[in-house]
Amino acid sequence: MARVKPFDLVKLFAALADPTRLRLLNLMNGREVCVCYFVEILKQGQPKISRHLAYLRRAGIVEARREGKWMHYRIERPDDARAASILDVTLKSLETDRNMKADLERLGQACCEPQSFVTLYAAPIPVTL
């Protein structure tokens, strides 16, 4: 019988220990988002955003899919109950943070008025999960 590798809680806590990664998780909470929106809202370069997203993927809490030239990211809730609980509490705590709310407002603006954001021209609108 193959032994299942336990979820790496150290990687999870390390992933959650960065403000940019928390902002990314906040923006993905309940939706799938194209990387171009992260770049626009966080005002950081695409390579830096991609490195943070790769870190979250290695931690086992984010999944990605490609659609043409666009990369879409979403939160993947871990099967491990401890890890899932930690992620749930973290996401819940972000809901009351003033800066996280501002990011979500910018995401809402970008989705409703993508023409106002030059970098988002023809970008796919985030999908609610």
Side-chain angles (χ1 to χ4, degrees):
M1 176 189 279
R3 186 169 181 205
V4 176
K5 184 179 175 189
F7 193 89
D8 191 338
L9 288 177
V10 172
K11 278 187 184 177
L12 175 62
F13 280 114
L16 299 176
D18 181 87
T20 299
R21 291 192 287 271
L22 289 175
R23 290 176 75 189
L24 290 167
L25 289 169
N26 179 57
L27 290 169
M28 284 184 276
N29 193 8
R31 66 189 63 81
E32 182 180 73
V33 183
C34 176
V35 71
C36 57
Y37 284 90
F38 299 137
V39 171
E40 179 62 41
I41 291 161
L42 275 59
K43 299 293 184 202
Q44 296 180 16
Q46 186 271 326
K48 183 176 182 181
I49 295 292
S50 291
R51 280 193 303 274
H52 282 295
L53 289 165
Y55 201 105
L56 292 168
R57 288 177 71 189
R58 284 191 302 273
I61 56 174
V62 167
E63 289 290 323
R65 76 174 175 86
R66 179 177 294 281
E67 185 177 313
K69 68 178 183 173
W70 307 105
M71 284 300 292
H72 302 266
Y73 292 86
R74 63 180 170 77
I75 293 174
E76 179 67 26
R77 197 164 183 276
D79 290 333
D80 182 275
R82 298 167 306 153
S85 176
I86 292 164
L87 180 61
D88 291 344
V89 169
T90 301
L91 292 171
K92 185 72 176 163
S93 72
L94 298 178
E95 292 175 1
T96 58
D97 183 274
R98 168 174 63 93
N99 295 321
M100 299 296 174
K101 286 180 183 179
D103 283 348
L104 289 173
E105 286 175 24
R106 284 187 48 80
L107 178 62
Q109 277 183 317
C111 293
C112 296
E113 305 167 24
Q115 67 278 7
S116 302
F117 298 85
V118 175
T119 58
L120 297 177
Y121 178 73
I125 294 178
V127 176
T128 303
L129 301 174

